[in-house]
Amino acid sequence: MNIEMLREFFGWCLVLNAGLLIFTFVVITTLRGFAAEFHAKMFKLEPAQVQLEFYRYLGSYKIAIIVFNLVPYLALSLMSKGG
């Protein structure tokens, strides 16, 4: 495995994870009321609390994508250009 293969791997991971994040955001925002009520009943929480957890989830997932996909992709891109 070389730097170019790793760079391509992290690039595809970034694309797939960003797509999943966008899809989740769209679903949660379009079905906000239904999703909050459904999960509130499932986990015995208040709907407002569920919406806060949705927000935390999206933020945490975005940070994970940046740390584990974007940064390695950029680092490998810089390494392949400089070497």
Side-chain angles (χ1 to χ4, degrees):
M1 184 162 296
N2 58 23
I3 289 177
E4 193 58 37
M5 288 176 68
L6 278 173
R7 187 184 72 79
E8 187 174 342
F9 169 76
F10 281 110
W12 280 111
C13 285
L14 177 61
V15 168
L16 293 173
N17 279 304
L20 183 60
L21 177 67
I22 291 167
F23 173 75
T24 305
F25 170 76
V26 169
V27 169
I28 286 176
T29 53
T30 15
L31 302 174
R32 177 176 293 161
F34 171 75
E37 290 292 327
F38 179 77
H39 287 95
K41 288 178 186 174
M42 186 185 305
F43 297 109
K44 297 180 178 146
L45 300 169
E46 294 296 318
Q49 191 177 5
V50 172
Q51 289 188 359
L52 178 63
E53 293 303 321
F54 284 159
Y55 180 74
R56 284 185 186 159
Y57 160 74
L58 290 172
S60 297
Y61 194 62
K62 180 173 59 174
I63 290 170
I65 290 171
I66 290 169
V67 170
F68 295 114
N69 295 147
L70 180 62
V71 171
Y73 175 77
L74 294 175
L76 290 168
S77 293
L78 290 173
M79 287 174 61
S80 67
K81 302 284 190 255

